[in-house]
Every structure is written in C-alpha cells, then in structure tokens.
Amino acid sequence: MRSAVFLPVLCAAFGLVRATPIPAVDDRLLYKIPAKESMDAFGAAFTSRCSTWEPALHGASLTFLQALVEPGDFSGNNADTEVKLVCAWSNDAGIQTFTADVAASLGATPVSASDSPFLLYAIPAGETMDDFLSAFTSTCTTWPAAEADPSIRFLGSVHELGDFSGNNADTEVRLLCTWLKTDGSDTVEFTADVAASLGATPV
C-alpha cells in the first residue's frame, strides 16, 4: 500500500475561489500483463478487483476513488502488453493506493523490479518447476505460523515464471505468499519463509 500526498490549489470557478486537490506525485505504476491475456480482459479484472479490494474495504473509513488502466508504457509504446495502473481509495486523511497488491494478485509483472512485491527464487536443482510450484502453493495455504494466528486468513499464492525480465523460466520464479488480517486492514507476507522451507534460493 502506498500513500499519495495531495496539495490544495486555489482556482476560480463560477466566480468562486475553490480548493481543488491535485496529486503532488504521479502514482501510476507500469506493469506487464500476464502472457496470453488481452488488455481488455486484464483491465476489467483490475478495475473489478481494485473496487472490491478487501484491505481497502475494511480500512480506515476508505471510499473507492479510482481504478486507472492506461495501456502502454510512459511513452505510449507496448500498448498490447504493458499498462500503467493506479488503484486508489481515499478518506479524510488523503489518498491510499493499493496498486501493487492488486496487480500482483492478478499475475501482472512490474516493469521495474524495485516496485515488485514478488521475491525472485531459483528452485532446487533436480526439481521440476511444476513440482516446486505445487509444493509452494500447498505449503503457503497451510503455513503453520499463519494457521496458528487467528488474526489472519489465507489470501493468495501467486507465481510468475522466470526472472523480472522473463528469462530462466525453467529454473527461476517470482513468488508471493500472502495472508490477510481478518479485519481486512493489512496483508502479511510469508513468501521468504515458505520458499526457504522448500529449498529455494533467493536470487
């Protein structure tokens, strides 16, 4: 979750001086959509999930503000495979964005690795990717430390094959194991612990 700071700007409208909030920062994040998924399908899924995102629904009196889907990178290129996204909710304190979490839940890959909630791992030598992913999903959904905590519940196990450029898809994988606080206020990550328990090596 990210917070955006908004600055008041005075403007004249209909003869009145009004305070209009405008963003002080550009909160759009650039993602690659999942392979073989159309931009229209991804955009619809992002909008739907953003507007019903549980941590926001149960947040501090948050109201849905915007699900922004702009095909293409910041120069307008790659409009079939890359997209600029914002998932924004608001309350009296300002704007809160859930873009990275929503995009990750849909399998989108950040173009900048530094923006990614995923962790990159090399799977154990001699193990197939299918076997590793099956084990990761099973272990994530039944992780003992998470199951023992009544304040959280399973949210999702997500993976993307290959490194952050899509290379080494047979040996490296981006992983995310997420549980949700039962009041919906935040998420808890167990990715590193689950991956380590299966012998995966962080890259």
Side-chain angles (χ1 to χ4, degrees):
M1 182 179 71
R2 301 174 62 205
S3 295
V5 178
F6 275 58
L7 298 177
V9 175
L10 295 179
C11 66
F14 304 107
L16 300 175
V17 176
R18 304 175 60 191
T20 303
I22 64 169
V25 295
D26 184 351
D27 264 342
R28 292 176 299 170
L29 299 180
L30 181 60
Y31 281 83
K32 291 182 181 178
I33 67 174
K36 300 181 180 179
E37 185 168 4
S38 71
M39 185 62 71
D40 286 345
F42 177 83
F46 181 85
T47 300
S48 175
R49 188 157 300 182
C50 171
S51 64
T52 58
W53 189 243
E54 285 199 59
L57 287 171
H58 299 284
S61 301
L62 291 171
T63 300
F64 174 66
L65 182 63
Q66 181 186 40
L68 177 69
V69 178
E70 293 183 345
D73 62 17
F74 288 98
S75 298
N77 300 318
N78 307 320
D80 292 331
T81 58
E82 296 184 3
V83 60
K84 300 177 293 295
L85 301 171
V86 175
C87 175
W89 290 62
S90 67
N91 60 16
D92 290 341
I95 307 298
Q96 292 184 350
T97 59
F98 298 87
T99 312
D101 292 335
V102 175
S105 75
L106 296 170
T109 306
V111 174
S112 171
S114 63
D115 292 329
S116 177
F118 286 91
L119 299 180
L120 178 61
Y121 284 85
I123 67 174
E127 186 168 4
T128 68
M129 184 62 75
D130 285 345
D131 286 346
F132 176 81
L133 293 178
S134 177
F136 181 84
T137 300
S138 175
T139 305
C140 173
T141 58
T142 59
W143 188 243
E147 288 194 319
D149 186 347
S151 70
I152 60 176
R153 60 184 175 83
F154 177 68
L155 178 61
S157 172
V158 185
H159 69 269
E160 285 290 317
L161 299 180
D163 62 18
F164 288 101
S165 297
N167 301 317
N168 307 320
D170 292 332
T171 58
E172 296 183 3
V173 61
R174 288 153 283 154
L175 300 170
L176 191 62
C177 174
T178 307
W179 287 59
L180 177 69
K181 289 188 177 181
T182 52
D183 64 2
S185 62
D186 205 355
T187 55
V188 183
E189 310 295 337
F190 293 95
T191 310
D193 293 335
V194 173
S197 76
L198 298 172
T201 306
V203 176

